[in-house]
Amino acid sequence: MNFLQREAKLILLAGAVFLLTIVIYAAGWLNPLERWLSVFAQPVFNVFYASLDTASPLFRTTDAALRAENTNLKDLLVKTVRDNHDLQIQVSQYEEYKDQLAFAQEKDYDTIPAKIISRVGRVEINQLLLINRGSSHGMQVGYPITYGKGILLGTVSVVHESYSEVTLVTDETSQIQGVVENRDNGASGIITGEFGNSLTMDYILKDQSITTNDIVTTNGQDRWIPGGLVLGIVQAVSDEPSEVFKSATISPMARYGNNSIVSAIIPKL
Amino acid sequence: MKRRLVIFFILIALASSIQLGWLWPANLTSLTFSFGFVVITVMAFVQHWSYALWYSLAQGICIDLFSPFVFGTYTLASLILVISIGVLQDTWLKQHSLLSVATITATSLLLTQLVMLGVIALSEYTDIIITQSVAAVSILNFVLGVAAMIFCTLIGVRLLNRQYVKLI
């Protein structure tokens, strides 16, 4: 008689207990026992694992390997976050430059792309920008600097070999001829910077039309600056009977930050 | 009998200690050595079938309660260990030699490992287990662990059953 025949009753009984245990466990009736066992056994396990940790090079090696891996992953995470930040800046710059490129292609302008590297100089009113393109890149004094879809930021005032200074349109020394866009008998005048954050349009003839929310652009009469570059939106119009000309307050449209990409438009000769 | 049991457990403890790393350089067997399986195997070899089966059930359930794998994996493996030893004894243990005991133990452990691997491979933790196993357990590690279990079983069987005197 072989083993299975001899011990059939015992094996069947053990099998039945096994199946019963599985059913009881699946029903969740062993959960309290599991919890209590964990509570009582955990301190014993802790002692056991601690002694293994100190005794076995395997566990030491594994721990060391895990710590090294953890350190590597942390370093990788830092690098990834940094790379991601750089990438986001690049994507943002690309989006900015895409508009500028589209505008330049539409108007058939040749441009020099540049990055704003800082706002220095007359920092108290933030009217000077430094861009990372200079004479070695073909930059010249007077070139208009635009942002986005043809928004005029200012003009190049000083050129160095590897960088240039840009005087913003909001600088008090800036004077540009502007015109109200898309309007018959639209007003034209001289636009100067004011207080570092707004523009004033002066010398508007009384019979010319200008109202709030009109868009003011360059009229192309200044040397190097083509017409159609956006300067801002009319905020308020002043028409005093005692004055010979009307004037208007213009809100500049440019919004830029460090690392922004701008374009210098190369004038057509 | 009592004295022999005491000697057996002392030897098992000594062997476990050795292969856990205090004395023996080949200490990487700690993950593949199971003291409980040795006890079950010895009980089966000395033909205390009821003890072997109930002990394997109790041990398997206890391990399963702590194990992250499917409940029943260790219980099934323990039961299969006992049954496979019983079945193999009918064919390979007619000589009552220690070599037969070692062969049956190795075959039964291999079968048990295959059952466990099969169940574990079906579990949701397969990826983690493979990663951890590759990191922590080498082939040498596994072979040494099984060899240590066979060695302990031989000592236990020899101590508890005087029939096993021949080497081959």
Side-chain angles (χ1 to χ4, degrees):
Chain A
M1 194 184 282
N2 64 25
F3 168 75
L4 290 176
Q5 287 170 329
R6 267 185 283 122
E7 306 294 340
K9 204 191 276 184
L10 189 62
I11 292 170
L12 283 174
L13 189 60
V17 171
F18 171 62
L19 290 176
L20 187 66
T21 313
I22 299 273
V23 171
I24 289 172
Y25 182 82
W29 294 348
L30 287 180
N31 289 351
L33 177 66
E34 198 173 5
R35 276 197 297 276
W36 279 106
L37 271 178
S38 296
V39 167
F40 289 118
Q42 201 56 51
V44 181
F45 284 172
N46 289 343
V47 171
F48 179 69
Y49 290 141
S51 62
L52 276 181
D53 267 347
T54 53
S56 170
L58 169 68
F59 284 88
R60 280 205 296 275
T61 308
T62 307
D63 280 354
L66 288 174
R67 280 193 212 103
E69 190 180 354
N70 188 34
T71 307
N72 286 341
L73 287 173
K74 279 180 180 170
D75 291 345
L76 191 65
L77 180 65
V78 170
K79 185 180 177 303
T80 307
V81 168
R82 200 185 302 130
D83 288 351
N84 185 43
H85 176 252
D86 292 347
L87 206 60
Q88 281 182 349
I89 289 175
Q90 284 181 16
V91 168
S92 161
Q93 289 175 344
Y94 168 76
E95 291 295 330
E96 288 171 6
Y97 186 62
K98 198 170 68 175
D99 289 343
Q100 294 171 39
L101 199 61
F103 173 78
Q105 284 174 343
E106 182 190 328
K107 299 284 185 183
D108 198 23
Y109 292 146
D110 291 327
T111 59
I112 303 172
K115 193 161 82 172
I116 296 173
I117 47 179
S118 68
R119 302 176 206 179
V120 293
R122 297 155 66 178
V123 289
E124 69 280 3
I125 48 175
N126 289 335
Q127 294 310 290
L128 276 183
L129 293 180
L130 294 188
I131 56 173
N132 68 343
R133 289 290 182 267
S135 58
S136 60
H137 306 99
M139 196 69 78
Q140 289 187 32
V141 172
Y143 279 11
I145 302 297
T146 61
Y147 175 83
K149 291 182 178 175
I151 297 167
L152 185 66
L153 268 186
T155 53
V156 175
S157 49
V158 181
V159 176
H160 303 271
E161 187 182 350
S162 59
Y163 68 98
S164 303
E165 295 176 23
V166 177
T167 300
L168 298 180
V169 290
T170 47
D171 188 280
E172 290 176 6
T173 62
S174 168
Q175 286 198 330
I176 295 167
Q177 296 186 56
V179 63
V180 172
E181 199 179 50
N182 299 329
R183 186 183 281 273
D184 292 336
N185 194 25
S188 60
I190 305 295
I191 293 164
T192 53
E194 198 167 65
F195 311 124
N197 58 11
S198 69
L199 304 169
T200 301
M201 189 172 183
D202 288 320
Y203 307 112
I204 304 169
L205 295 176
K206 290 271 189 183
D207 60 341
Q208 289 181 331
S209 168
I210 183 169
T211 59
T212 53
N213 295 325
D214 280 348
I215 294 175
V216 179
T217 62
T218 55
N219 66 2
Q221 297 299 310
D222 292 290
R223 193 185 181 206
W224 307 123
I225 301 176
L229 300 179
V230 178
L231 283 160
I233 298 175
V234 177
Q235 263 193 331
V237 178
S238 171
D239 187 6
E240 297 294 331
S242 58
E243 297 289 336
V244 179
F245 298 102
K246 291 194 286 190
S247 67
T249 303
I250 315 289
S251 173
M253 288 181 71
R255 296 286 181 270
Y256 52 84
N258 283 341
N259 295 314
S260 287
I261 298 289
V262 295
S263 294
I265 295 176
I266 301 173
K268 294 183 188 305
L269 298 175
Chain B
M1 185 74 173
K2 256 186 183 174
R3 191 167 57 87
R4 284 183 193 161
L5 268 175
V6 170
I7 295 171
F8 168 64
F9 281 113
I10 289 171
L11 283 171
I12 290 281
L14 185 63
S16 307
S17 306
I18 287 169
Q19 62 93 43
L20 278 178
W22 284 296
L23 300 172
W24 190 15
N27 42 37
L28 300 182
T29 54
S30 55
L31 285 181
T32 54
F33 183 90
S34 168
F35 176 73
F37 277 10
V38 171
V39 173
I40 292 169
T41 312
V42 172
M43 281 182 187
F45 271 112
V46 294
Q47 304 204 340
H48 288 300
W49 297 114
S50 58
Y51 287 146
L53 278 170
W54 296 129
Y55 181 78
S56 63
L57 262 178
Q59 180 197 269
I61 289 168
C62 281
I63 297 176
D64 276 328
L65 284 175
F66 289 108
S67 156
F69 306 131
V70 179
F71 183 84
T73 304
Y74 282 95
T75 313
L76 183 66
S78 305
L79 287 175
I80 283 175
L81 181 65
V82 178
I83 292 168
S84 65
I85 289 171
V87 171
L88 291 171
Q89 271 186 349
D90 287 341
T91 50
W92 289 353
L93 205 62
K94 284 169 185 163
Q95 299 296 321
H96 283 98
S97 68
L98 291 174
L99 182 65
S100 304
V101 173
T103 311
I104 291 169
T105 310
T107 310
S108 304
L109 288 174
L110 185 65
L111 190 65
T112 309
Q113 291 281 353
L114 286 174
V115 169
M116 286 179 63
L117 282 175
V119 175
I120 289 168
L122 296 174
S123 78
E124 59 187 310
Y125 300 103
T126 309
D127 291 345
I128 300 169
I129 292 157
I130 290 171
T131 311
Q132 293 297 316
S133 302
V134 169
V137 184
S138 65
I139 298 286
L140 176 68
N141 187 4
F142 174 75
V143 170
L144 287 175
V146 172
M149 287 172 77
I150 293 172
F151 178 68
C152 293
T153 304
L154 285 175
I155 292 171
V157 170
R158 179 68 188 83
L159 281 171
L160 298 175
N161 194 330
R162 288 293 175 93
Q163 289 182 338
Y164 299 100
V165 288
K166 287 190 291 184
L167 191 63
I168 297 174

